[in-house]
Amino acid sequence: MAPLSPKPRPGVLDIEAYVPGESHVPGGLKPVKLSSNETPLGPSPKAIEAFAAAGTALERYPDGQASALRQAIARRFGLNPDRIVCGAGSDELISLIAHAYLGPGDEGLYTEHGFLLYRIVILAAGATPVVAPEKDLKADVDAILARVTPRTRIVFLANPNNPTGTYLGIDEVRRLRASLPADVLLVLDAAYAEYVRRNDYEAGLELVATTENTVMTRTFSKIFGLAGLRIGWAYCPAAVADALNRIRGPFNLSAPSIAAGAAAMEDWSHIEAAVRHNDEWLPWLTAEIEKLGLTVTPSVANFILVHFPKDSGRDAAACDAFLKQRGVIVRRVAGYGLPGALRITIGSESDNRKVVEALAAFAGSQA
Ligand SMILES: Cc1ncc(COP(=O)(O)O)c(C=O)c1O
């Protein structure tokens, strides 16, 4: 008889683990890493300073309320700090929300090419994932509403979405909220909100403030340049903040994270510089890649989705391998139902030029 061994809950081993963007290339080349939507500007010098200062008292537990960080966020956006919950990346908050509001028999909804973590956290909570189709690589409010059932507990919407870079205007988001049943939590994942330059876009602060059933998550990993520290925050109705605070780890953010995040929030000129950089290079990269005869989905974030022909040798997989040989790492997105595309982060000027050169060489090698 086989010896007994511990078994995870049913379903856990059916979950496909999240595959992060790659960071290594063959031959020890220094990679041009454009695979994880990190900022080429790095963090604010003030955040680096605060991080270093926090390193002098590592024997102490951090403030379990992350008060300095919540207050800095509240000041910046004019929010009630009691309704802000911080997490080790917005990943942790998305996971906490799923664990607080989903269980076996419940359904969690997300869209066809939506951020892959949603599926993982829904399954991890023992619930059933339900996928709404998108239209032209963009979330479709009617399709989402059509998949709502009495078992639906959460709708996750990345706005803008990763990996498509598309977004829903605030009127559509409001329509979604107004048409969802009141007991369905709408989670607006606004990881790339700071990059968006569109008059009809809002991250969702007002919706959170004026409804009892909408949460917005944000991150310090993208435009703030602090991905390595793992800092995220959620703006929540009071009852949701209460639920999340009951189940989160009591010290879920480290002291250096709290200090660096708070300092980063105070340095808005750094964020503005990152927005200006993106405003310059997002259109440039899009146009240069289109000149090579490839299709680019119009993006409002700090990355673009590039579509390749299906022909063997010219497809996304072949291009990915070609780029990697030249030290350029981009993101395959087959796991998002987009086997014919690659996602490319807007990098520094030199990285952007290198990726275009490498793509041109790939196109030339196929001609
Ligand atoms: C849409 C979206 N949401 C959330 C995250 C998670 O970010 P983090 O956990 O680093 O805050 C990411 C990261 O890629 C993302 O693209």
Side-chain angles (χ1 to χ4, degrees):
M1 206 170 80
L4 287 176
S5 61
K7 299 264 183 304
R9 275 192 293 110
V12 170
L13 298 183
D14 299 331
I15 297 173
E16 279 186 47
Y18 183 82
V19 182
E22 291 184 55
S23 50
H24 296 288
V25 287
L29 289 171
K30 185 175 179 298
V32 171
K33 182 175 184 289
L34 300 172
S35 56
S36 299
N37 302 339
E38 297 144 337
T39 169
L41 273 62
S44 154
K46 293 187 176 130
I48 297 172
E49 220 173 277
F51 172 78
T56 58
L58 295 181
E59 71 284 9
R60 302 227 181 272
Y61 274 95
D63 168 16
Q65 311 301 320
S67 301
L69 179 57
R70 287 190 300 112
Q71 277 159 13
I73 296 166
R75 270 196 302 279
R76 165 65 46 199
F77 294 103
L79 305 178
N80 176 353
D82 296 341
R83 292 187 174 202
I84 297 171
V85 179
C86 292
S90 49
D91 279 356
E92 188 193 19
L93 293 159
I94 291 165
S95 175
L96 287 172
I97 293 167
H99 282 282
Y101 288 90
L102 291 174
D106 296 335
E107 292 173 355
L109 231 162
Y110 60 97
T111 67
E112 191 179 355
H113 305 296
F115 185 44
L116 267 184
L117 185 68
Y118 308 146
R119 178 179 183 81
I120 294 174
V121 299
I122 293 165
L123 287 167
T128 305
V130 176
V131 182
E134 298 186 1
K135 210 182 250 170
D136 299 331
L137 300 177
K138 188 170 148 180
D140 175 353
V141 168
D142 294 312
I144 296 171
L145 292 171
R147 272 146 193 91
V148 172
T149 76
R151 291 180 296 283
T152 309
R153 298 269 66 86
I154 298 186
V155 172
F156 288 105
L157 180 72
N159 198 29
N161 184 48
N162 168 20
T164 53
T166 57
Y167 77 106
L168 283 189
I170 189 64
D171 287 350
E172 278 297 272
V173 178
R174 283 204 191 100
R175 182 165 79 84
L176 173 62
R177 175 63 277 171
S179 311
L180 284 171
D183 63 348
V184 171
L185 189 62
L186 174 62
V187 179
L188 300 173
D189 173 351
Y192 301 93
E194 295 84 359
Y195 283 110
V196 186
R197 313 298 263 176
R198 292 287 191 283
N199 290 336
D200 62 346
Y201 176 79
E202 279 178 32
L205 289 172
E206 195 219 315
L207 259 184
V208 176
T210 55
T211 63
E212 294 301 315
N213 40 23
T214 311
V215 176
M216 181 200 61
T217 58
R218 302 281 281 261
T219 183
F220 283 75
S221 302
K222 307 300 176 184
I223 205 164
F224 288 87
L226 292 170
L229 280 185
R230 314 304 303 125
I231 315 169
W233 58 284
Y235 194 49
C236 313
V240 176
D242 178 48
L244 300 185
N245 279 324
R246 286 170 195 265
I247 63 167
R248 70 177 171 83
F251 304 103
N252 58 337
L253 266 80
S254 70
S257 298
I258 294 168
M265 243 325 138
E266 305 288 358
D267 186 4
W268 210 250
S269 62
H270 189 74
I271 304 306
E272 283 164 357
V275 171
R276 280 196 301 277
H277 178 88
N278 206 58
D279 282 352
E280 179 178 352
W281 291 100
L282 171 68
W284 183 86
L285 207 58
T286 305
E288 292 298 315
I289 293 176
E290 282 175 341
K291 278 186 211 160
L292 299 174
L294 298 166
T295 309
V296 181
T297 301
S299 169
V300 296
N302 69 330
F303 53 86
I304 50 175
L305 189 67
V306 182
H307 303 269
F308 291 79
K310 284 206 177 75
D311 329 33
S312 138
R314 301 182 65 210
D315 60 9
C319 183
D320 182 48
F322 183 93
L323 294 179
K324 212 171 282 168
Q325 284 304 322
R326 297 184 155 231
V328 178
I329 309 178
V330 299
R331 184 75 146 99
R332 290 220 56 197
V333 283
Y336 286 88
L338 296 163
L342 296 175
R343 191 194 70 198
I344 305 177
T345 303
I346 311 303
S348 64
E349 170 169 359
S350 103
D351 287 356
N352 295 334
R353 292 192 188 282
K354 278 186 199 145
V355 74
V356 168
E357 267 167 39
L359 285 168
F362 175 72
S365 74
Q366 311 304 309

